[in-house]
Amino acid sequence: MIDTNQVVNVNNRVEFQLLQTQKNLRNLNVDYYKWGFLPSLSAVGNYNFNYFNNQFKDLYKNAIPVGYVGLSMNLPIFQGTRRLQNLSKAKLQVQRTDQDIVNTQNTINTQYIQALASYKSNYVTWQTLKQNVELARDVYNVVSLQYREGIKTYLDVIVSQSDLRTSELNYYNALFQLLSSKIDLKRALGTLTIEPTNN
C-alpha cells in the first residue's frame, strides 16, 4: 500500500534540483557581467635582493635590496556594446531557466496525476481479481466435491480447475501491474530510493 493523499513536492525530484542549480549559476553569471562595469584597483609589490660583483668568488658578499610598490587602476570607459550584450544574454538565460523550471513543475505534476490514476486503477483491478480467485476456488471446491459424489462430470472439474488457474494468473498479472504503478508513483513523488546490492 502507498498513501495516495501525498502532495507532490517538486524539490524531491533530481531534474528540478538540477534546474535550480543551473539558475543559481546563471544568476552568478549575471552578477559577473554587472561587476564588469565597475573600475578595478589592484596593488602590486615586490622586494628581493640582487647580488653584483666583478669577482665570482665575492658575488654573494654584498646584497643590494631592490623593491617597488605600485597601484594599478583599470577604468572601463567604452569597449563597444560587448558588455551590454553579454549582460542581456545572461539575463535571457536566467529567464529561460525560469521557464524551464515552470515547465518541469507542470511535467512533474502531470506525471504524478497519471501515476496516481494508474495506481488507483490497478489497485481496484487487483482487489477485484483477488475476489475472483476466491470465487473460482470456491467453485472448483464445490465442483470437485460434486464430482466425488457423482453429480458432476470430470469435464466440469477440468473446466473449473482451468478457470481457477486463469483467475490466479490474472491475479498475479494485476499484482505485477499494481507494483509497477507503485514504483511509477514513488518516482513521480521523488521518494523512490535505490537499495544498494551486496555482491
Side-chain angles (χ1 to χ4, degrees):
M1 297 292 128
I2 192 168
D3 184 14
T4 57
N5 292 325
Q6 295 181 43
V7 178
V8 64
N9 184 2
V10 292
N11 292 321
N12 292 338
R13 297 286 295 264
V14 174
E15 56 265 36
F16 186 78
Q17 294 171 1
L18 181 66
L19 284 173
Q20 291 287 27
T21 303
Q22 192 175 30
K23 181 181 177 182
N24 291 337
L25 289 174
R26 289 189 172 165
N27 281 330
L28 289 174
N29 204 16
V30 169
D31 291 341
Y32 170 76
Y33 287 122
K34 284 181 181 177
W35 283 92
F37 288 101
L38 296 177
S40 62
L41 180 66
S42 58
V44 66
N46 189 8
Y47 184 81
N48 58 7
F49 293 100
N50 287 334
Y51 299 96
F52 300 106
N53 201 323
N54 289 335
Q55 298 296 324
F56 184 72
K57 63 180 180 166
D58 298 330
L59 182 64
Y60 290 104
K61 282 187 178 180
N62 295 329
I64 301 169
V66 176
Y68 63 91
V69 176
L71 288 175
S72 173
M73 183 169 180
N74 183 10
L75 183 63
I77 297 173
F78 183 72
Q79 296 178 349
T81 60
R82 181 175 56 95
R83 288 181 295 175
L84 291 172
Q85 297 300 324
N86 286 340
L87 181 61
S88 297
K89 182 180 175 183
K91 286 180 179 178
L92 286 174
Q93 287 176 341
V94 169
Q95 291 174 357
R96 171 69 190 265
T97 305
D98 287 337
Q99 292 300 319
D100 289 343
I101 287 173
V102 170
N103 186 31
T104 301
Q105 286 175 336
N106 292 336
T107 302
I108 289 171
N109 286 330
T110 303
Q111 287 176 353
Y112 171 71
I113 290 169
Q114 289 174 346
L116 183 63
S118 176
Y119 176 78
K120 287 181 177 181
S121 172
N122 288 331
Y123 181 77
V124 169
T125 303
W126 175 71
Q127 290 286 13
T128 303
L129 290 175
K130 185 177 180 182
Q131 293 172 357
N132 285 351
V133 168
E134 293 170 0
L135 290 173
R137 188 169 287 120
D138 290 342
V139 168
Y140 172 72
N141 290 337
V142 169
V143 170
S144 178
L145 182 62
Q146 288 177 342
Y147 169 72
R148 281 181 270 167
E149 295 296 325
I151 300 171
K152 293 282 185 178
T153 63
Y154 186 66
L155 182 61
D156 292 332
V157 174
I158 292 175
V159 169
S160 65
Q161 185 179 22
S162 174
D163 290 342
L164 176 61
R165 299 290 180 245
T166 302
S167 64
E168 286 176 341
L169 183 62
N170 290 339
Y171 169 78
Y172 290 129
N173 285 335
L175 181 60
F176 174 76
Q177 292 297 326
L178 177 65
L179 293 175
S180 177
S181 62
K182 180 180 177 182
I183 290 172
D184 290 341
L185 183 59
K186 281 187 168 185
R187 185 179 62 80
L189 285 169
T191 59
L192 184 63
T193 57
I194 299 173
E195 296 177 7
T197 57
N198 297 328
N199 292 339

